[in-house]
Amino acid sequence: HPPAVFTERVKLFSYSSSAAGLGLLPYIFVRTGAGTGGVPLKVALAVLAGVFTLATPVLLHLVTKGYVLRLYHAAETDTYTAVTYGALLAEKRTVFRRSDVRVPELHHLFTTFYAETRSMLVDPALFPLARDYDHLMGYDKPLALDGERGAGGDP
């Protein structure tokens, strides 16, 4: 589906531009004369270029590692399989049960829920049936209001 293709293409572009930048680094050093400076200047420029070249893919991976591309539900065992991308664009599968899902009380920017300890980001609009999303998030369970009274003051 479209978000998966977009995520894959963005990561691929980031990796390829970083590889090209690292490959061109020696040429840039020679052409700009940075290679003729002292050792501290060479080290400083190499570190600076390396940080900017390598930081983008690392940050991109940290932000998107929990984005769920596909989510499968096996109703007979009530298990879910979430498919995400790993660091090298390899699909990673995480299998969990509804009982492993914990919805954070405060909404996080890149987390819809935690499956065991792993954060997952799911787009609810991609669920064909809203009840499937409600079941995953535990919204189909009765609401427990500990010690609270009803609207009319009755217990």
Side-chain angles (χ1 to χ4, degrees):
H1 56 54
V5 172
F6 179 73
T7 303
E8 178 182 340
R9 288 181 181 166
V10 168
K11 278 190 167 185
L12 189 61
F13 175 74
S14 177
Y15 291 154
S16 62
S17 64
S18 292
L22 287 175
L24 290 173
L25 202 54
Y27 175 76
I28 292 170
F29 273 11
V30 170
R31 291 292 285 178
T32 61
T36 60
V39 173
L41 177 64
K42 289 178 185 178
V43 170
L45 288 174
V47 166
L48 185 66
V51 165
F52 280 110
T53 305
L54 298 175
T56 304
V58 169
L59 288 174
L60 187 62
H61 171 67
L62 290 175
V63 168
T64 63
K65 70 180 178 180
Y67 182 74
V68 176
L69 305 169
R70 292 183 303 280
L71 185 67
Y72 303 105
H73 179 236
E76 58 277 355
T77 59
D78 200 24
T79 57
Y80 293 88
T81 302
V83 179
T84 58
Y85 277 136
L88 299 176
L89 293 177
E91 288 189 356
K92 183 176 181 180
R93 297 180 186 279
T94 304
V95 179
F96 57 94
R97 296 185 177 282
R98 168 61 196 109
S99 59
D100 298 331
V101 173
R102 182 178 57 85
V103 179
E105 289 186 28
L106 296 174
H107 293 289
H108 299 175
L109 185 59
F110 297 110
T111 302
T112 306
F113 64 89
Y114 292 95
E116 296 176 348
T117 59
R118 184 157 181 201
S119 67
M120 301 277 177
L121 177 63
V122 177
D123 183 3
L126 297 178
F127 282 80
L129 300 173
R131 70 175 177 258
D132 290 340
Y133 178 75
D134 292 344
H135 178 68
L136 172 67
M137 300 298 287
Y139 298 153
D140 58 348
K141 293 183 179 180
L143 184 62
L145 302 173
D146 296 331
E148 290 188 15
R149 296 180 173 260
D154 297 328

